[in-house]
Amino acid sequence: MQRILTGILLFLCSFAHGQTERVYLTAEKDTLKLALDNNGRPLYYFRNIYTPVCNTGECKPVYINFYWDLLGNYTRFTMPANEVLTKTDHREFQEKDYAKLQEIIAKETSIFSELKMEDLVVKGTEKISDSVDMKTGATLKTIKNEVIEGAVFTCYTLWHLAHGKITKEISGITEKLTDSTLLHNFLQSNNHHYQYWAMDKVIDAAGHVTASYEDDITRIIEGNNIFTAKYALQKADADFFSDRQLWLLETANKALYPLQMAIYKRMATLVLTDKVALKVAQSLTGNQEQVKSKLAILAAQPKLSQAVKAQLGPYAKDIQ
């Protein structure tokens, strides 16, 4: 009984082409499914949802499929075969409504998080599409941007299903499934949520990078996501860069400007080898900020060789 109540794996089901799914019981006694690839590795979570959506006068059933990534971040929805969403006047959703619903649900932060169901409409009104108002003081225009006209309660209910308690349950399940393969996959992923999460697992509070993940961290710094690259730069300690100083300078030379400046800033915290310091001194070109940043790297060094000082030329006066 305890295993069921805590949402432990209930059973395995077969997918086409050898894929499988694991089924968990949520705290609300609903089923949550984890899709696995042909090798049994986690792919994503999904739920086949049935929920009543109630307004001031009636409840209507909604059938919809929700999908989350492995950390509980909502990604998309699909409609089961022969099922549609409808508005309060029984009009079916059009393609533009489904597209807007995806935009509404996909928002990680929403005004819905601050509201109760009864806050969505003025008490005593019946036509939801004509009476949307907020007791919190928000304007009619503001709430209209957050909902689909005639489907206020549907938008509210589905957003809360996508971003509610289920997200913590999902991340908790993934935590228990974590192994080296999953961490490597996360670090090499294009999903920035995965990269941040995995970096916090493989880089400890002191900045030490677990040896088997060092190549993954270097690829993140070289990657296209400036934000995850900056995070790796800041989080990894000086020891990680001790044998990678030349690589770090070469990465800066190829990087987009914001990342380039972040790398220069990180290099100013390192004690450089003479070879790398000379390379920096030989590259005192670029705009004013680039040159200033490179000079800051050299100025931060405890000692500069004569070769480096000779290379400074007119900039020698800027290095005290």
Side-chain angles (χ1 to χ4, degrees):
M1 176 63 74
Q2 182 63 30
R3 294 179 68 191
I4 294 177
L5 292 178
T6 54
I8 301 299
L9 175 65
L10 297 180
F11 54 87
L12 290 173
C13 298
S14 293
F15 271 163
H17 309 299
Q19 287 186 319
T20 58
E21 63 183 35
R22 294 180 182 178
V23 182
Y24 297 84
L25 190 66
T26 70
E28 298 176 346
K29 308 297 175 63
D30 291 323
T31 55
L32 171 70
K33 300 176 182 179
L34 171 60
L36 308 172
D37 66 15
N38 293 335
N39 296 316
R41 305 303 307 174
L43 291 172
Y44 56 85
Y45 293 87
F46 66 102
R47 284 180 64 189
N48 308 119
I49 294 171
Y50 159 76
T51 184
V53 174
C54 302
N55 57 36
T56 53
E58 62 177 316
C59 292
K60 57 182 179 180
V62 168
Y63 296 91
I64 193 169
N65 304 319
F66 273 6
Y67 299 81
W68 295 266
D69 71 13
L70 295 174
L71 295 179
N73 299 293
Y74 168 83
T75 57
R76 64 190 176 94
F77 72 84
T78 61
M79 297 301 300
N82 303 318
E83 295 293 341
V84 296
L85 296 177
T86 60
K87 302 179 181 181
T88 53
D89 54 7
H90 305 294
R91 284 180 298 139
E92 294 185 358
F93 270 41
Q94 301 300 308
E95 286 300 318
K96 64 178 182 179
D97 297 318
Y98 287 112
K100 184 170 183 179
L101 181 63
Q102 168 62 8
E103 292 178 5
I104 291 169
I105 301 176
K107 292 181 179 179
E108 294 184 18
T109 57
S110 168
I111 197 169
F112 291 148
S113 64
E114 304 171 3
L115 301 175
K116 297 179 181 179
M117 183 76 78
E118 57 267 25
D119 293 328
L120 295 175
V121 296
V122 176
K123 285 186 178 180
T125 60
E126 294 180 2
K127 289 187 177 182
I128 297 175
S129 61
D130 295 331
S131 63
V132 178
D133 200 353
M134 308 291 282
K135 296 177 182 178
T136 57
T139 64
L140 182 65
K141 182 178 180 180
T142 300
I143 186 61
K144 274 196 170 183
N145 290 335
E146 300 290 337
V147 299
I148 296 169
E149 185 179 6
V152 179
F153 288 105
T154 297
C155 296
Y156 177 89
T157 300
L158 295 182
W159 186 88
H160 276 277
L161 283 172
H163 300 279
K165 295 178 180 178
I166 191 67
T167 60
K168 289 185 178 180
E169 293 190 58
I170 287 174
S171 61
I173 294 170
T174 297
E175 184 79 39
K176 294 177 182 178
L177 298 175
T178 301
D179 59 15
S180 61
T181 300
L182 185 71
L183 288 171
H184 282 299
N185 288 342
F186 273 23
L187 291 167
Q188 296 166 21
S189 170
N190 291 324
N191 183 328
H192 64 276
H193 296 292
Y194 289 176
Q195 290 184 314
Y196 284 125
W197 187 87
M199 279 193 280
D200 286 341
K201 298 290 185 186
V202 306
I203 306 177
D204 66 21
H208 173 71
V209 180
T210 304
S212 57
Y213 301 100
E214 288 181 348
D215 288 345
D216 293 324
I217 300 302
T218 60
R219 281 192 288 268
I220 288 175
I221 294 172
E222 292 173 333
N224 296 323
N225 188 321
I226 293 174
F227 300 102
T228 53
K230 285 184 176 180
Y231 190 74
L233 278 172
Q234 295 165 0
K235 194 168 178 65
D237 64 11
D239 287 343
F240 175 76
F241 298 108
S242 62
D243 295 328
R244 296 182 173 86
Q245 292 180 4
L246 184 58
W247 162 82
L248 194 58
L249 180 61
E250 291 172 346
T251 300
N253 292 338
K254 297 180 291 185
L256 294 176
Y257 185 77
L259 178 57
Q260 183 182 77
M261 300 305 286
I263 293 175
Y264 290 155
K265 184 176 180 179
R266 186 68 176 96
M267 290 184 70
T269 69
L270 306 175
V271 177
L272 302 183
T273 64
D274 285 343
K275 179 179 179 181
V276 175
L278 183 59
K279 288 280 187 182
V280 174
Q282 291 171 338
S283 67
L284 289 172
T285 58
N287 64 36
Q288 184 177 356
E289 288 303 314
Q290 289 170 317
V291 172
K292 182 179 177 180
S293 295
K294 293 173 186 177
L295 289 172
I297 294 172
L298 297 175
Q301 301 307 306
K303 185 178 180 181
L304 294 176
S305 69
Q306 289 301 317
V308 173
K309 292 178 180 179
Q311 187 65 43
L312 289 173
Y315 295 110
K317 65 182 186 302
D318 297 307
I319 305 297
Q320 301 299 327

